[in-house]
Amino acid sequence: MTQHMSPPMGSADKVPSASEPPAWRGVFAHTDVRTLSLLGVLAALIVIGGITKPDEFLDTRNLQLVLTQASVIGVVTVGMTFVITSGGIDLSVGAIVALASVWATTLATQEYGFAGILFTAVLVGVGCGLVNGLLVAYGAMVPFIATLAMLASARGLALQITDGSTQIVTVPSVLDLGERDAYILGVPPLVMVFAVVTIIGWLVLNRTTFGRRTVAVGGNAEAARLAGIDVRRQRLYLYLLSGLCCGIAAFLLIILSGSGQNTNGNLYELDAIAAAIIGGTLLSGGRGTITGSVLGVLIFTTITNIFALNNLQSDVQQIAKGAIIVAAVLVQRRTASTT
């Protein structure tokens, strides 16, 4: 009687069944299509810049400039992403950057050197974030109204401090960070700070309880409350985080410009919101992506650089940005309706 022996384990390669999908499909199934799309847009912009102004756009100094400019608004956008993910909004980020930058560059503050400027910028940012958080979380104010009031107040106070003049930084240790001698392997210190903030933001949003609570509050605040999350305290922390990012961005802007002005951070709130939106963060809350927001910042900064190199007017640039925002929102709505 013939016995049919099955081959020993490991003696032959596994043959996939007809119903089992190929392995490569699993890879693409777990790939963020939106991130790939943003990378495609960024790559297309780089090609356009290389074609229109090859010698200038692809120059190492220009690429360093793009990344440096992206670093300031990028840090603000990281904080904004958290706030929008929770279902809130912060219209005051640009004004907070302005107030923190001028407060940190007064003659009295500069007497304390590098540490005094950094500490003051961060403290002012966190203080403004605290006020926003208290008004929204415990004052039951609509985030739009609370942060709009902060926008007006911070801009007014910044103008009062400077009296409309530019405050020049005279602290060498601060100014030196903006020089090419401070670059490490060709990377400006501001870009390194931006990278660190981005990595920390990504880890906090995707790998911590704080991040999960943020998403839960944005998805359904009442359900989050019933699940034991202190919604008010969580919102307070989020506006504190946004203020902290504004303080850091203000310090980076001081290094970049070597001064403090009441006009600093102009329209930063719109750029940060736009970058977060095209990156995939839902305005209604419940979903946020740090990676997408950073790519959004790089896209807008690259567009600005290309327009500047080609001597195109700023109004055309704003129209292009507006078209991108509208397209991103339409894609969000289409995606939401199909899920």
Side-chain angles (χ1 to χ4, degrees):
M1 189 174 183
T2 305
Q3 293 183 343
H4 297 281
M5 301 291 293
S6 60
M9 295 294 291
S11 62
D13 294 335
K14 180 182 178 181
V15 179
S17 63
S19 60
E20 184 178 349
W24 59 268
R25 289 188 181 178
V27 174
F28 284 98
H30 291 85
T31 302
D32 190 342
V33 178
R34 182 182 294 275
T35 300
L36 291 177
S37 300
L38 293 172
L39 286 172
V41 172
L42 183 58
L45 289 173
I46 293 174
V47 171
I48 293 173
I51 293 175
T52 56
K53 292 288 184 179
D55 296 333
E56 299 175 34
F57 180 79
L58 297 178
D59 183 73
T60 301
R61 289 177 179 268
N62 183 64
L63 296 178
Q64 290 172 334
L65 175 63
V66 170
L67 291 175
T68 301
Q69 292 175 338
S71 298
V72 180
I73 184 62
V75 172
V76 175
T77 303
V78 170
M80 181 70 78
T81 300
F82 276 88
V83 173
I84 296 179
T85 301
S86 71
I89 199 74
D90 191 347
L91 300 179
S92 64
V93 290
I96 294 176
V97 169
L99 179 59
S101 68
V102 300
W103 206 323
T105 54
T106 60
L107 293 177
T109 304
Q110 292 192 51
E111 290 181 358
Y112 294 93
F114 182 98
I117 294 177
L118 174 59
F119 177 77
T120 302
V122 171
L123 183 63
V124 171
V126 172
C128 292
L130 175 62
V131 174
N132 281 336
L134 290 174
L135 291 176
V136 172
Y138 294 95
M141 289 186 67
V142 177
F144 181 92
I145 300 299
T147 57
L148 184 62
M150 176 58 71
L151 183 156
S153 301
R155 282 288 178 193
L157 185 55
L159 178 60
Q160 186 177 41
I161 292 175
T162 61
D163 197 23
S165 61
T166 300
Q167 298 178 162
I168 305 300
V169 177
T170 59
V171 180
S173 56
V174 174
L175 298 174
D176 289 345
L177 290 176
E179 300 296 330
R180 295 187 62 83
D181 293 340
Y183 291 9
I184 301 176
L185 299 177
V187 180
L190 276 69
V191 178
M192 293 184 176
V193 173
F194 177 35
V196 171
V197 172
T198 298
I199 293 171
I200 294 175
W202 187 91
L203 291 173
V204 171
L205 185 59
N206 296 281
R207 294 291 184 268
T208 66
T209 302
F210 183 87
R212 290 190 291 271
R213 288 175 177 172
T214 300
V215 174
V217 170
N220 190 321
E222 181 60 22
R225 185 186 67 81
L226 294 175
I229 298 175
D230 191 331
V231 175
R232 294 190 299 178
R233 184 173 61 186
Q234 184 70 17
R235 285 174 174 162
L236 173 62
Y237 288 163
L238 288 167
Y239 281 98
L240 283 172
L241 176 60
S242 180
L244 173 62
C245 289
C246 289
I248 296 174
F251 183 70
L252 297 182
L253 192 57
I254 291 171
I255 295 174
L256 184 61
S257 64
S259 64
Q261 305 176 53
N262 65 286
T263 56
N264 282 344
N266 187 35
L267 297 181
Y268 271 20
E269 56 277 357
L270 299 183
D271 288 343
I273 293 171
I277 291 173
I278 72 169
T281 300
L282 288 179
L283 269 175
S284 56
R287 188 182 74 193
T289 163
I290 298 295
T291 303
S293 296
V294 170
L295 289 175
V297 169
L298 292 176
I299 287 173
F300 279 138
T301 308
T302 304
I303 290 175
T304 301
N305 184 258
I306 292 174
F307 273 61
L309 291 177
N310 288 276
N311 296 319
L312 297 176
Q313 296 181 355
S314 60
D315 55 350
V316 181
Q317 173 187 327
Q318 296 302 324
I319 293 173
K321 286 185 177 182
I324 292 174
I325 295 171
V326 171
V329 173
L330 290 176
V331 170
Q332 280 191 359
R333 292 184 61 182
R334 182 177 180 83
T335 303
S337 63
T338 57
T339 55

